[in-house]
Amino acid sequence: MTRYCVDPDRRELIATWGTGQGDLATRIAIPPADTETSALLSLARSLGQLSDAVWRTYTHPASAAGSLQPNSEGRRREQERGHFGEVVDAIAKPNLPSGGSMVVSYSLLIESANRVGRALHELADPALTEAVLAEAATELAARRKRRTR
């Protein structure tokens, strides 16, 4: 699972992950200098929640639930894994408040992606959005390499 951090001195959004021998880090983006640290922290939190939802499909496979019958935990897990193809679109075009309400997804994975998209919408920086979309694609690809049944 990837953790996301903000370096307030360098104004960077950073991804980190453990290796068993220490942690590694990589810079995801350098937002504009006038970007509020609190807005970047909100984005980092949302990215962390998305990473957790992505990796939960690996640590909690459908087969471990015992049943894939309709309305079962196994079926729900299987459906969640099936939402991978919607994540990048949900980040790029999140459900935003409209008319005093907002559509919220029942899928933890998709709703986490929408939260990332809403945080990016607030930041309104196309370069940051592009970098985060690339990072989300990388995170999904890393999970896909570790398939479970």
Side-chain angles (χ1 to χ4, degrees):
M1 189 177 102
T2 306
R3 292 186 45 152
Y4 295 89
C5 311
V6 174
D7 181 333
D9 294 330
R10 292 186 178 170
R11 310 293 307 159
E12 295 178 346
L13 178 64
I14 300 166
T16 68
W17 58 97
T19 67
Q21 296 180 330
D23 292 352
L24 295 174
T26 189
R27 179 176 49 209
I28 302 302
I30 302 175
D34 63 345
T35 305
E36 293 288 329
T37 300
S38 62
L40 290 174
L41 288 170
S42 179
L43 175 59
R45 180 184 65 242
S46 296
L47 282 165
Q49 291 168 342
L50 176 60
S51 179
D52 185 46
V54 167
W55 286 93
R56 184 170 173 79
T57 66
Y58 175 70
T59 61
H60 294 74
S63 60
S67 172
L68 296 178
Q69 296 299 315
N71 299 317
S72 69
E73 178 65 14
R75 177 64 61 93
R76 187 193 63 73
R77 290 178 184 185
E78 186 175 66
Q79 289 171 333
E80 192 72 348
R81 188 170 48 187
H83 290 299
F84 269 40
E86 302 169 49
V87 169
V88 172
D89 286 341
I91 293 171
K93 297 176 186 170
N95 295 333
L96 298 171
S98 176
S101 63
M102 182 172 60
V103 174
V104 176
S105 178
Y106 284 109
S107 163
L108 179 61
L109 184 62
I110 297 304
E111 186 53 32
S112 296
N114 274 288
R115 287 180 187 146
V116 171
R118 288 191 286 271
L120 288 167
H121 180 78
E122 289 295 317
L123 289 161
D125 178 46
L128 179 59
T129 297
E130 185 178 323
V132 169
L133 287 169
E135 172 60 19
T138 299
E139 187 78 2
L140 290 166
R143 166 50 188 93
R144 284 186 183 118
K145 289 181 183 178
R146 291 170 175 82
R147 294 199 185 269
T148 59
R149 299 221 181 249

